[in-house]
Structure formats: structure tokens, C-alpha cells
């Protein structure tokens, strides 16, 4: 099947550089057979290949492990116990990853499987590791296929739905667009399957208490994300400067349809991911430490460059990788704030040294920059 037509230039998807597409179980797994819905998945793979050809980076958050695994294990229909869903996920995740590898492989796209738990997205060190793995995969041209690590996540530390997980991923990698392919075409004032007077909302510019109240849940029986989790996801996404849409995914070529302007609900952020990130760095009330830099490094920073270890003359305080630091020039004036790529112990060993010496000094090959320019904000005095 082919869909043609010009994509609308004001559509956030056609403007995006980095896109996260979340695919729900109800779409990916046929309810009657418990198998992957191949024809549909192939059409989605073709859409993803199109996005890539347009120069966009794509990450997938794919549900379906539990739905695929439960049948092979002969588990009953209806709600599973936690340990049963974990067993089902262990079995189903293999089929899920295979299906993606196969359909994307036909377009010569490489796939990488990432299984995340809640703490991977909440704890700073794990968050930074997950972020750098995802960024590396994107740089190397792979398509990360992400799911919750259901087999180890216990009830208390579980997302349980991939809507919020997808939003966290979008936030983590500063995506500018998150697409939730769902079994409803968007947000309504009430549940449209129960209330015929429900009104469709195409654009949401602020998540007000009224909007939150609309999260009454969809009629899906395969996935676990109702409208409430989609609104929770939207709060995370727009809070990170990322556009988000809830769209009906059931038809073939679901992403292409959104590009062509098919009805869906768009949640708009007030700013861009970079601006949000930089605002957050600039607004850190209590930096964990300070770096004093020489005049050459101060000039480089003012020109928008990264901070290299060679330009650092002194380090104040104890901090970990990812902590916010204040950068001062030799006279003590605040120049910038940024997130450190090294702990204070490692930074102390690197101080004043060249980046090519990092591996020999630390025993591992870390980043060339002590603070990368993407993680740096100049202070107004700077
Ligand atoms: N992680 C679950 C799975 O792969 C799905 C969660 C959800 O339905 O959002 O089966």
C-alpha cells in the first residue's frame, strides 16, 4: 500500500530531528493469534525507513513482550500475576526483538535492543550511562528498540506502561518529537467509546487540571496504557521541550499518516529540548563544585566551545559525573555552569592535562571534554 501527498510543513513530526515512536501491544500483537501483526509491522518499518531517509534519528519504544510470550507459555487470558508476566516477557522479548530485526533489516537498518528499568531513568549515574549508550547507537546509525526490563522490574519499581517509559526516553536523549501509536486517535473530553458527546481535542498547549481529568482510559485490553498514562507521558515530554502526539496506530503506515496530517492530538511544549536543558542547568541552585579555568579556556568558553581538562587550574568540592558545576575565571568571576563528565577525583587527575592523555591517566577512555558544550550554559556576566 502506498500513501502519497505532501507532508504539512507545520507538523511537528516533519520538523523533528530526533523522533521516539512508541508502539503499543494492541497494535503489534494480533489478539486472535497472539502473534506479531507482520503486515502492519512491515508498513511501520517502511515509515521508519522513510524518516531515516529524511535525515531524522529514530528510536522505538516497543511493547509486546508479555502479549507475545503469554501464549507460548500457555498462560490464561486476563490479568497475569507479576511473576507470570515476567516469565511471559522473558519469552516474548526474544520474538519481539527478532520481529524488529527482521522488518527493519529489510530496509538495511540495524537494530539494537535496550531494556530499561525505572531506576535506569531515575538514578543519575544509570541515567547518564543509558543516555550515552543511546546517543552512541544513534551516532553509529542503529535504531534502538527499547522496552521495560519486565523480567527484573518488581511491582514497586516498575513503569508497567511504555507510555511514560517512552516519554522518559524522549527526555533523556532530548528528542523533539514523541509519537504514541495507540488504539485511540487522540484525546477526548470523555471516553469516546462510552460517551457519544465526547469532543476530540487536536491541540493541547498546556496540561491543565481539566486536561488531566480527561484521562479516563481507553478500551484496550492488550496493552496497559490508558489515556491517564498518555497524559502523564505528555507532562514529561513537554516538560523537556518535546512535542508529543497520540495517534491511532491501527492502520497500515501509521507514521506516514501522521506526517500527512491524519487526525491526532498534539501536545505542544513551550520551548525546545536544548533550551529546557540549558535552562535547567542554568537554574541549578546549588552547584556541587567549582572549576577555575585559565584565560585561554575562558576565551574558548565565551566562544561557545567545550571545556577541556587542559584549561582547568583548580577544582573545588567533591562531585560525581553528571553533577552541575560552576566555572570561574582566574579572577573568580562566574563564567558558566555545566554538567561534569567526570567525578572530582577523576577531574583532579585530568586537571591541566591534554585530552589524549585521559586513557593513560584514568585507565579508561572517557570523554575528551570535562564539560561538553551541550552541557554548558554561559552565565550572563560571562
Ligand atoms: N513492557 C510491556 C511488554 O512489552 C508492555 C507495557 C505496555 O503495555 O505499555 O509487554
Amino acid at each position: 500500500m502506498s500513501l502519497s501527498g505532501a507532508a504539512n510543513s507545520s507538523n511537528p513530526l516533519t520538523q523533528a530531528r530526533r523522533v521516539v515512536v512508541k508502539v503499543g501491544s494492541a497494535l503489534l500483537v494480533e489478539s486472535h493469534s497472539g502473534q506479531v501483526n507482520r503486515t502492519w509491522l512491515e508498513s511501520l518499518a517502511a515509515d521508519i525507513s522513510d524518516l531515516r531517509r529524511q535525515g531524522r534519528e529514530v528510536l522505538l519504544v516497543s511493547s509486546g513482550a508479555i502479549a507475545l510470550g503469554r501464549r507460548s507459555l500457555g498462560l490464561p487470558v486476563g490479568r497475569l500475576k507479576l511473576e507470570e508476566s515476567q516469565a511471559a516477557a522473558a519469552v516474548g522479548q526474544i520474538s519481539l526483538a527478532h520481529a524488529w530485526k527482521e522488518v527493519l533489516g529489510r530496509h538495511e537498518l540495524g537494530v539494537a535492543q535496550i531494556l530499561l528499568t525505572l531506576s535506569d531513568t531515575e538514578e543519575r549515574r544509570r541515567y547518564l550511562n543509558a543516555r550515552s549508550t543511546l546517543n552512541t547507537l544513534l551516532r553509529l546509525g542503529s535504531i534502538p528498540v527499547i522496552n521495560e526490563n519486565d523480567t527484573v522490574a518488581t511491582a514497586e519499581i516498575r513503569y508497567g506502561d511504555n507510555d511514560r517509559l517512552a516519554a522518559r526516553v524522549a527526555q533523556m536523549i532530548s528528542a523533539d518529537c514523541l509519537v504514541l501509536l495507540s488504539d485511540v486517535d487522540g484525546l477526548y473530553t470523555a471516553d469516546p467509546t462510552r460517551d457519544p458527546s465526547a469532543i476530540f481535542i487536536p491541540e493541547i498547549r498546556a496540561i491543565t487540571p481539566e486536561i488531566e481529568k480527561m484521562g479516563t482510559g481507553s478500551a484496550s485490553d492488550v496493552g496497559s496504557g490508558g489515556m491517564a498514562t498518555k497524559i502523564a507521558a505528555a507532562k514529561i515530554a513537554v516538560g523537556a521541550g518535546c512535542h508529543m502526539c497520540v495517534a491511532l496506530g491501527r492502520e497500515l503506515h501509521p507514521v506516514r499518516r501522521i506526517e500527512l496530517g491524519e487526525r491526532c492530538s498534539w501536545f505542544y511544549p513551550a520551548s525546545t529540548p536544548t533550551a529546557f536543558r540549558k535552562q535547567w542547568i542554568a537554574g541549578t541552585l546549588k552547584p556541587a563544585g567549582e572549576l577555575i579555568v585559565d584565560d585561554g579556556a575562558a576565551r574558548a568558553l565565551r566562544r561557545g566551545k567545550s571545556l577541556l581538562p587542559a584549561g582547568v587550574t583548580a577544582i573545588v568540592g567533591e562531585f560525581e559525573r553528571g553533577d552541575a558545576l560552576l566555572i570561574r575565571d582566574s579572577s573568580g568571576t562566574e563564567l558558566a555552569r555545566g554538567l561534569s563528565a567526570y567525578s572530582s577525583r577523576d577531574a583532579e587527575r585530568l586537571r591541566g592535562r591534554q585530552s589524549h592523555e585521559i586513557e593513560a591517566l584514568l585507565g579508561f577512555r572517557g570523554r575528551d571534554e570535562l564539560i561538553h558544550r551541550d552541557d554548558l550554559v554561559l552565565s550572563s556576566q560571562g
Side-chain angles (χ1 to χ4, degrees), residues 22-26 62-68 85 89 93 96 147-150 158 160-163 165 222-225 229:
K22 183 257 170 179
V23 185
S25 306
S62 176
S63 306
I66 297 171
L68 285 172
S85 52
Q93 185 62 35
L96 186 63
N147 196 358
E148 182 159 17
N149 195 350
D150 292 307
R158 199 159 177 253
D161 68 88
N162 276 358
D163 295 328
L165 175 66
V222 183
S224 45
T229 63

Side-chain angles (χ1 to χ4, degrees), residues 119-334:
S119 52
D120 294 323
T121 63
E122 308 266 296
E123 275 171 34
R124 186 191 289 270
R125 282 178 67 92
R126 301 173 73 140
Y127 174 98
L128 289 172
N129 279 331
R131 184 174 74 140
S132 84
T133 307
L134 289 170
N135 279 324
T136 306
L137 286 166
L138 291 173
R139 185 163 48 76
L140 297 174
S142 278
I143 299 197
V145 176
I146 302 156
N147 196 358
E148 182 159 17
N149 195 350
D150 292 307
T151 51
V152 295
T154 62
E156 315 78 64
I157 57 145
R158 199 159 177 253
Y159 275 103
D161 68 88
N162 276 358
D163 295 328
R164 285 173 306 152
L165 175 66
R168 280 275 180 230
V169 167
Q171 175 193 50
M172 185 186 270
I173 48 110
S174 301
D176 35 24
C177 185
L178 167 62
V179 175
L180 299 184
L181 293 179
S182 157
D183 54 358
V184 277
D185 60 356
L187 183 64
Y188 289 80
T189 50
D191 183 348
T193 60
R194 282 177 224 156
D195 182 349
S197 68
I199 298 165
F200 179 77
I201 308 176
E203 279 186 14
I204 299 99
R205 304 240 166 219
I207 302 173
T208 58
E210 288 73 32
I211 295 286
E212 291 204 55
K213 256 191 252 144
M214 293 169 197
T216 46
S218 77
S220 165
D221 59 355
V222 183
S224 45
M227 198 47 78
T229 63
K230 291 182 175 51
I231 291 172
K235 278 169 105 174
I236 299 169
V238 299
C242 178
H243 291 82
M244 187 186 107
C245 88
V246 177
L248 187 66
R250 219 182 284 133
E251 303 293 334
L252 296 182
H253 296 286
V255 173
R256 183 81 188 119
R257 284 173 190 278
I258 300 169
E259 284 181 282
L260 294 175
E262 185 147 295
R263 180 161 111 154
C264 59
S265 293
W266 278 106
F267 291 80
Y268 287 86
S271 187
T272 65
T274 318
F276 263 104
R277 194 168 153 69
K278 297 227 164 185
Q279 233 171 51
W280 174 70
I281 296 171
T284 312
L285 290 177
K286 247 183 119 264
E290 294 188 7
L291 302 174
I292 316 300
V293 301
D294 63 21
D295 295 348
R299 273 195 304 275
L301 289 180
R302 288 199 192 94
R303 289 203 314 270
K305 300 269 197 261
S306 297
L307 177 64
L308 301 175
V312 177
T313 55
I315 295 168
V316 184
E318 277 185 24
F319 49 86
E320 292 301 326
R321 190 161 98 84
D323 280 342
L325 303 181
L326 210 116
I327 304 168
R328 296 188 191 278
D329 66 11
S330 51
S331 70
T333 309
E334 177 177 333

